[in-house]
């Protein structure tokens, strides 16, 4: 990352008082100011970010952030607040119109951290979440950590075009778009989280770059709880006359039982530079309590084209 100091950075350490004063500027015009002081059993930290590019924190994300952070405490107590505002946050390379604006507020009250997030964009996406996490925080020794084994609670909601959220949170070779509505609650611990709610997808599209699988007009309805996801409806087409549908129960427990049935009709399973293949039939995916997965069914390959010599990019030795 390209950062430079705008004034001499000053650090004091090795004695009873420790402090830092840093002023940084990014090549994109963003600024980061930090003032921190640990004196005796007291802690006082202030930080400010102004129009800093999000790619400073994650190279796969574009957009900007403005934020202020303050932490104060004495002895075993530590409190603080974070107020961050995101502008045009999106996956790297995504169109600017898909950018998401959002506000994240965090409040540290010694043993609990409360997070509230609201986000949206011009295409009608609305998303919000509120989570209360247990923490272990103190001014001396200075420490802020999430207690992964203690109970947490929260809720979440999202409605609208899911592509911006998918690219921000997941990205990679898989892409998902479409109108999504989901809401639910969170419980359990970070080490063993539990969620309960519903999710639906309409007019969706899913693409897997590795296999070339492309699902269009995706419709999905499912509800989930702490133990399983029940898919009551799932269907899509491949854009070439093929169709696929399915339903089943996917256990979220380590020793849970899962079963999912797929019905294919001239559906293109593979579409990449090596081969294309379309199939018809029914298949069932079962997972036993020991974690072993068994695939059974009867599929007919309606047509397959396999390239004996996959294309080699120009200039690359075979």
């Amino acid at each position: 990352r390209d950062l430079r100091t705008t004034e001499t950075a000053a650090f004091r350490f090795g004695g009873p008082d420790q402090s830092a004063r840093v002023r940084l500027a990014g090549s994109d015009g963003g600024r980061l100011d930090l003032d921190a002081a640990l004196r005796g059993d007291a802690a006082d930290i202030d930080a400010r970010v102004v129009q800093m590019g999000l790619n400073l924190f994650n190279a796969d994300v574009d957009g900007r952030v403005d934020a202020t952070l303050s932490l104060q405490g004495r002895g075993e107590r530590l409190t603080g607040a974070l107020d961050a505002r995101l502008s045009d946050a999106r996956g790297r390379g995504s169109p600017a119109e898909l950018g998401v604006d959002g506000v994240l507020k965090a409040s540290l009250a010694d043993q609990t951290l409360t997070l509230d997030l609201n986000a949206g964009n011009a295409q009608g996406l609305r998303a919000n979440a509120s989570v209360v996490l247990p923490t272990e925080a103190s001014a001396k020794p200075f420490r802020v950590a999430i207690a992964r084994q203690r109970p947490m609670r929260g809720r979440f909601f999202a409605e609208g075009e899911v592509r911006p959220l998918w690219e921000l949170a997941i990205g990679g070779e898989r892409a998902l778009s479409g109108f999504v509505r989901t809401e639910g609650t969170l419980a359990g611990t970070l080490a063993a989280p539990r969620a309960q709610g519903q999710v639906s997808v309409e007019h969706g599209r899913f693409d897997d770059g590795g296999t070339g699988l492309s699902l269009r007009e995706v419709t999905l309805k499912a509800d989930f709880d702490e133990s399983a996801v029940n898919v009551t409806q799932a269907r899509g087409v491949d854009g070439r006359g093929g169709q696929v549908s399915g339903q089943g129960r996917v256990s979220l427990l380590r020793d849970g039982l899962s079963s999912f049935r797929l019905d294919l009709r001239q559906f293109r399973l593979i579409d990449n530079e090596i081969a294309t293949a379309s199939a018809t039939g029914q298949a069932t995916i079962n997972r036993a309590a020991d974690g072993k997965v068994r695939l059974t069914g009867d599929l007919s390959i309606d047509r397959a084209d396999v390239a004996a010599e996959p294309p080699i990019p120009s200039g690359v030795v075979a």
Side-chain angles (χ1 to χ4, degrees), residues 25-313:
S27 58
D28 59 0
R31 300 199 326 270
L32 189 155
D33 300 340
L34 171 67
D35 292 281
L38 304 178
R39 296 186 175 92
D41 63 350
D44 191 352
I45 298 175
D46 290 288
R48 184 185 182 194
V49 173
V50 179
Q51 285 292 290
M52 186 68 75
L54 289 172
N55 55 14
L56 174 68
F57 311 101
N58 186 335
D60 295 324
V61 176
D62 285 331
R64 293 185 178 273
V65 59
D66 292 89
T68 57
L69 169 70
S70 63
L71 292 169
Q72 304 86 26
R74 182 177 294 274
E76 296 182 354
R77 293 188 57 82
L78 187 68
T79 61
L82 167 70
D83 190 337
R85 298 180 181 274
L86 305 178
S87 302
D88 292 328
R90 61 193 187 278
R92 185 177 181 181
S94 298
E97 59 266 21
L98 292 180
V100 174
D101 296 333
V103 176
L104 172 64
K105 293 182 179 293
S107 176
L108 175 65
D110 202 26
Q111 299 301 309
T112 60
L113 176 64
T114 302
L115 301 173
D116 290 292
L117 172 66
N118 285 277
N121 66 5
Q123 282 67 46
L125 172 67
R126 296 185 298 125
N128 59 69
S130 180
V131 182
V132 179
L133 299 172
T135 59
E136 296 176 355
S138 62
K140 186 178 181 180
F142 181 77
R143 182 169 185 256
V144 181
I146 305 297
R148 295 178 53 83
Q149 303 295 335
R150 284 166 41 196
M152 67 173 182
R153 66 181 187 276
R155 58 171 180 78
F156 59 89
F157 168 86
E159 182 179 74
E161 171 57 55
V162 73
R163 180 181 169 185
L165 290 180
W166 178 276
E167 293 187 349
L168 274 176
I170 300 175
E173 290 190 347
R174 296 179 177 89
L176 176 67
S177 61
F179 184 88
V180 170
R181 179 183 174 86
T182 182
E183 61 181 329
T185 58
L186 298 172
T189 66
L190 275 182
R194 302 199 309 266
Q196 184 173 0
Q198 305 84 36
V199 61
S200 65
V201 180
E202 297 177 359
H203 308 296
R205 176 165 179 166
F206 176 78
D207 295 287
D208 186 332
T211 63
L213 173 66
S214 180
L215 279 172
R216 304 180 184 183
E217 291 301 318
V218 174
T219 299
L220 173 70
K221 292 184 179 180
D223 58 77
F224 52 89
D225 55 30
E226 59 188 60
S227 60
V229 177
N230 292 300
V231 180
T232 57
Q233 181 182 19
R235 68 172 184 264
V237 300
D238 61 8
R240 299 175 178 83
Q243 300 178 17
V244 62
S245 61
Q247 62 180 8
R249 176 182 174 88
V250 180
S251 176
L252 301 178
L253 303 177
R254 290 185 178 180
D255 56 352
L257 304 178
S258 299
S259 180
F260 200 89
R261 190 189 72 193
L262 287 170
D263 293 293
L264 296 85
R265 189 172 69 183
Q266 297 182 340
F267 182 76
R268 182 161 290 191
L269 285 172
I270 301 173
D271 188 354
N272 56 34
E273 64 180 11
I274 298 176
T276 63
S278 300
T280 297
Q282 186 180 98
T284 301
I285 304 170
N286 292 303
R287 190 189 74 172
D290 59 4
K292 294 183 178 179
V293 176
R294 185 184 183 195
L295 176 64
T296 59
D298 188 358
L299 295 180
S300 299
I301 302 300
D302 302 303
R303 178 184 176 91
D305 296 278
V306 181
E309 295 183 2
I312 300 174

